[in-house]
Amino acid sequence: MSRPEAPRFITIEGLDGSGGTTQLRMLHAAFLARGEACIVTREPSDGPVGKLIRAQLGAPPESAVRDGVLPYLFAADRRDHLDRVVLPALARGESVLSDRYALSSFAYQAEAHGLDRVMRLNQDFPAPHLTILLELDPAVCLTRILARGLPRDRFETLERLRTIQQGYEAAVRAVSGGAAPWNIVPIDASADVDTIHARVVEAVWPWRA
Ligand code: TYD
């Protein structure tokens, strides 16, 4: 495989507690060390809709929007994030590394909304060039989440993490078929951070291996 000329849109996915944010930071450093321009971003984004979503995820259940509202908010945030951050960076020639993207909606919102409906809501958005999927046992994820000592959001219970894991499996099957399959590389996230980073690097620059 030869080195692509164009900047790339790379997303990192996985359950809460699977280590995506750490790996994204390490990948960003690897890009910069290679002299390749790139930015780091995330969903929910830091734009107005993303801020609304974060507030809602942390709000008490009696006053927060129900799960069935979230697919619309995440889709609105994604449109805003693409227009405001992702597409302009790619147009400037910079790669974009995003902590979560549409695969999160397919995995997390399918329970409340149905996978087909969530996919339809996201059908206008471009597929990333590469998605790294960090795979880790939900019980291990929960142990890590609890160790952080931060308030937990609505998804951070063992039961929901197990459902979301199944959601990821169904989502990967759904986007791997069809005329334009997503390029998804699953990585065992139970290893130490440096080993996982080495696997991420292999996935991002396979022609170097
Ligand atoms: P997360 O990246 O975990 O943010 P933080 O580190 O600030 O907690 O994202 C917040 C939550 O949002 C996480 O539990 C996954 C969820 N989420 C969805 O349910 N659907 C989506 O489309 C996205 C992008 C995230």
Side-chain angles (χ1 to χ4, degrees):
M1 194 184 299
S2 64
R3 180 176 164 160
E5 296 299 319
R8 287 183 289 169
F9 178 28
I10 298 173
T11 62
I12 295 218
E13 293 282 354
L15 296 177
D16 300 81
S18 61
T21 306
T22 304
Q23 289 303 325
L24 205 81
R25 280 200 209 107
M26 294 173 84
L27 180 59
H28 187 214
F31 261 86
L32 298 183
R34 293 169 63 95
E36 291 191 39
C38 84
I39 63 157
V40 168
T41 184
R42 63 177 183 169
E43 291 190 4
S45 77
D46 294 307
V49 190
K51 285 184 183 138
L52 173 67
I53 292 172
R54 284 179 193 280
Q56 287 300 315
L57 292 181
E62 57 282 6
S63 62
V65 296
R66 299 225 178 122
D67 285 346
V69 179
L70 290 177
Y72 300 99
L73 291 180
F74 280 113
D77 182 43
R78 192 153 296 126
R79 180 74 271 161
D80 184 55
H81 183 223
L82 282 164
D83 292 347
R84 188 193 298 266
V85 179
V86 178
L87 299 176
L90 293 172
R92 288 194 304 270
E94 296 168 18
S95 287
V96 175
L97 313 181
S98 183
D99 195 345
R100 302 191 177 282
Y101 183 61
L103 202 70
S104 280
S105 281
F106 304 158
Y108 282 74
Q109 273 66 63
E111 184 189 8
H113 211 66
L115 179 57
D116 287 349
R117 289 171 72 203
V118 181
M119 289 184 75
R120 276 201 299 277
L121 268 181
N122 285 270
Q123 66 190 359
D124 293 337
F125 305 143
H129 299 109
L130 170 66
T131 294
I132 305 282
L133 177 58
L134 297 177
E135 295 184 317
L136 191 60
D137 185 282
V140 179
C141 291
L142 188 64
T143 306
R144 291 191 187 173
I145 291 165
L146 296 176
R148 288 180 197 154
L150 297 170
R152 288 194 270 161
D153 73 30
R154 64 180 75 183
F155 304 117
E156 294 172 341
T157 66
L158 188 53
E159 197 193 345
R160 290 208 80 176
L161 289 171
R162 286 200 172 120
T163 304
I164 296 159
Q165 184 189 36
Q166 289 166 2
Y168 267 120
E169 286 166 10
V172 168
R173 279 196 299 275
V175 299
S176 297
W182 283 33
N183 178 22
I184 301 179
V185 175
I187 291 180
D188 175 2
S190 65
D192 61 275
V193 284
D194 292 325
T195 304
I196 301 168
H197 174 62
R199 290 180 189 150
V200 171
V201 165
E202 268 171 41
V204 173
W205 293 285
W207 49 88
R208 212 181 57 156

